[in-house]
Amino acid sequence: MELVAWAYKVAQGLLQAPLPRRWAHVQGVAEQARRSAALFGDDGELVVAAAVLHDVGYAPNIAETRFHPLDGARYLRAINAPDRLVHLVAHHSCAVLEAELRGLSAELAKFEDEKTPLRDALWWADMTTTPDGTRTTITDRVAEIQQRYGPEDLVSCFIRWAWPELLGAVERTNERLKAAGLGQS
């Protein structure tokens, strides 16, 4: 679990003091990801590390574009994080659609979206965790996001557009967990 320990050190240093609520969310997402880790054998550590780091792009000292998946991926690449981890952070929770709305598609395209069950599990963990780090349903999570940002905000537009993809990832992961005897969200 060296990668996970490193991920916690990086994320905690960037998020805990300036963004304590974001730090609580990240810890909750990591706990959810840990529930799915057994599905991925040797890559179980990767899904947990990606969960820990998925929101580092919100850190004030690295937020350049104000699009956290891209800012986080760029930062992680700059500190020589493993490529696959960088790509998972870049594309977490259907970031490709929000990048399009923000005019950042070309920049995000520099990172590969692996479209695997592991990616689904990362999205599942994020979409089933509240801003305070507790478990929730995807329906309640999306409603909370829309309420927090307001109906006309770009993030609310994105989340409505991304709904089928996000729901699909959550449902596929729930099925994988159930088939493996690991329960559901």
Side-chain angles (χ1 to χ4, degrees), residues 14-170:
L14 291 168
L15 298 173
Q16 186 177 30
L19 301 169
R21 190 172 190 214
R22 182 68 52 189
W23 176 236
H25 168 71
V26 163
Q27 291 176 87
V29 173
E31 283 304 311
Q32 277 289 75
R34 197 170 273 110
R35 293 182 56 223
S36 73
L39 296 172
F40 305 108
D42 292 342
D43 283 340
E45 184 179 25
L46 179 61
V47 73
V48 177
V52 172
L53 293 166
H54 82 283
D55 276 354
V56 296
Y58 280 112
N61 58 330
I62 66 169
E64 294 177 16
T65 67
R66 302 292 184 220
F67 179 46
H68 77 278
L70 181 60
D71 290 338
R74 286 177 170 174
Y75 174 79
L76 292 170
R77 179 179 276 166
I79 64 168
N80 297 313
D83 285 342
R84 193 166 172 211
L85 176 62
V86 171
H87 298 296
L88 286 163
V89 168
H91 284 279
H92 79 271
S93 300
C94 211
V96 68
L97 295 181
E98 187 174 346
E100 189 171 329
L101 290 172
R102 291 181 180 275
L104 294 169
S105 294
E107 289 84 351
L108 191 65
K110 295 174 184 174
F111 302 92
E112 181 183 344
D113 184 0
E114 67 175 59
K115 299 179 183 175
T116 63
L118 190 140
R119 181 203 71 171
D120 281 356
L122 176 60
W123 293 18
W124 165 82
D126 189 22
M127 289 293 109
T128 59
T129 304
T130 70
D132 297 313
T134 60
R135 289 186 193 173
T136 190
T137 66
I138 185 172
T139 303
D140 288 346
R141 174 81 161 114
V142 167
E144 181 279 323
I145 290 168
Q146 290 178 317
Q147 181 179 11
R148 182 168 20 121
Y149 286 92
E152 301 306 315
D153 190 87
L154 182 140
V155 174
S156 291
C157 294
F158 149 72
I159 207 77
R160 287 190 300 271
W161 190 20
W163 172 255
E165 294 293 328
L166 295 169
L167 181 62
V170 168

